[in-house]
Amino acid sequence: MNQSLAFVFPGQGSQHLGMLAELAEQFGVIQQTFADASDALGYDLWALTQEGPEEALNSTEKTQPALLTAGVALWRLWKEQGGDQPALMAGHSLGEYTALTCAGALALKDAVVLVKQRGEFMQAAVPAGQGGMAAVLGLDDAKVEEACRQAAQGAVVSAVNYNSPGQVVIAGAADAVARAVAECKAAGAKRAVELPVSVPSHCELMKPAAEQLKAALDAVEMKMPEVTVIQNVAARPAQDLAELRSNLVEQLYRPVLWTGSVQAMAERGAEVLVECGPGKVLSGLNKRIQRSLTVMAINDPAGLEKALGR
């Protein structure tokens, strides 16, 4: 095990048509992993990621299995190529399920069905158009939180993703989010922009979905991960299986403490963070959180080769 190495897994937003295509041409494990997931889901997940339609790939109950499978495929490729065993893992929102799957806590066939259900529960919890999310850049966390309090007026709106210093995502009822965006701008935010999403993730509006998710989680076999996984809601690993499951349920309606999670990994000795999924979204955040970190992404042949040979 490499004590200075950590793997991180992205959440929704990293998906795109054609993802991992270059690697799939060279390494059979990529499409084989997608075939394993497709068997569990009952549809051709690889075809969806390569051919679309894009609207279907971006539908949350399809996005979540696609991203989880992509992360697992890259992890399997990493191990197949003799990559070092990391000491730590973490995933952003959905990515936490990918981390747990790669760490041996969940079987892939169970994980893809579970996150498909998670997406369905989230979509059903808030009717389309009634919820919203917005990204706030260049404003202290405390000021974002205060803007949400001022804007709430009895409705739900709160900070839900602490992505990096100066980058916070808020979520809640659509009207309240719009008011909070205006409050953030008035408070001096460099940018505050509503996001094109249909589900207000990680806020109190997701509590009905969390109740359904708990039942689904209870029905799935799970064990403690073989690699330490830093969980979103506490920015630390669970002490036992009950806490691990509880954290996954709470993650639906509590904030993603990504800044704290990356800091926790650095405090535990992580020096190199490898992003295991399509894109490089987390790599940019991770460097802003902890400048001393080396960040890499293995979403294409060049990135994989660099990470393996570092």
Side-chain angles (χ1 to χ4, degrees):
M1 182 182 289
N2 186 333
Q3 295 294 334
S4 66
L5 180 65
F7 263 57
V8 294
F9 301 86
Q12 291 190 79
S14 289
Q15 75 278 2
H16 59 87
L17 289 180
M19 61 190 192
L20 309 192
E22 274 189 277
L23 286 167
E25 288 178 10
Q26 295 183 36
F27 305 105
V29 69
I30 300 292
Q31 287 198 49
Q32 182 56 55
T33 304
F34 274 83
D36 294 344
S38 297
D39 286 345
L41 291 166
Y43 63 88
D44 190 335
L45 187 59
W46 180 252
L48 175 65
T49 63
Q50 301 307 300
E51 301 162 17
E54 193 169 16
E55 308 81 62
L57 179 59
N58 290 336
S59 178
T60 187
E61 76 281 359
K62 296 278 202 308
T63 305
Q64 296 198 31
L67 283 173
L68 184 142
T69 304
V72 173
L74 290 171
W75 170 248
R76 288 180 175 179
L77 175 59
W78 173 262
K79 298 305 291 179
E80 184 181 272
Q81 294 298 307
D84 287 352
Q85 178 82 345
L88 296 162
M89 290 182 173
H92 190 289
S93 187
L94 163 77
E96 187 167 295
Y97 290 80
T98 319
L100 289 168
T101 305
C102 294
L106 283 164
L108 175 62
K109 63 182 177 59
D110 293 330
V112 289
V113 173
L114 181 63
V115 299
K116 170 183 174 286
Q117 293 174 312
R118 181 177 180 265
E120 290 168 347
F121 300 153
M122 292 168 71
Q123 193 67 65
V126 180
Q130 292 191 17
M133 299 182 78
V136 182
L137 306 180
L139 197 62
D140 291 346
D141 293 354
K143 290 185 177 179
V144 176
E145 292 160 3
E146 179 58 27
C148 288
R149 281 193 288 272
Q150 295 288 337
Q153 299 176 20
V156 170
V157 60
S158 59
V160 296
N161 293 350
Y162 293 87
N163 285 337
S164 69
Q167 185 182 134
V168 178
V169 174
I170 63 175
D175 290 349
V177 169
R179 291 193 297 269
V181 164
E183 291 280 355
C184 288
K185 288 177 177 175
K190 288 180 183 174
R191 284 189 71 201
V193 56
E194 293 187 51
L195 300 173
V197 297
S198 58
V199 175
S201 303
H202 307 296
C203 74
E204 292 285 323
L205 297 177
M206 286 293 111
K207 279 199 166 178
E211 291 173 16
Q212 294 175 290
L213 180 63
K214 182 181 185 304
L217 275 165
D218 287 345
V220 170
E221 183 181 348
M222 191 180 293
K223 55 188 178 181
M224 286 299 286
E226 295 158 13
V227 179
T228 299
V229 175
I230 305 294
Q231 288 193 277
N232 289 177
V233 299
R236 59 175 173 77
Q239 299 303 302
D240 54 37
L241 207 48
E243 184 184 3
L244 188 147
R245 288 177 182 271
S246 176
N247 284 345
L248 287 174
V249 173
E250 290 185 23
Q251 191 218 58
L252 267 192
Y253 60 87
R254 285 180 56 192
V256 171
L257 305 180
W258 189 251
T259 298
S261 296
V262 172
Q263 289 169 339
M265 287 188 281
E267 287 165 6
R268 288 169 178 260
E271 297 173 4
V272 178
L273 265 59
V274 174
E275 183 166 0
C276 190
K280 301 178 180 179
V281 171
L282 294 182
S283 295
L285 297 178
N286 298 342
K287 195 70 174 175
R288 286 199 287 277
I289 293 167
Q290 194 83 15
R291 289 184 181 276
S292 63
L293 290 170
T294 298
V295 299
M296 298 182 175
I298 57 170
N299 61 322
D300 59 24
L304 176 67
E305 190 174 328
K306 182 180 178 184
L308 286 167
R310 67 178 187 285

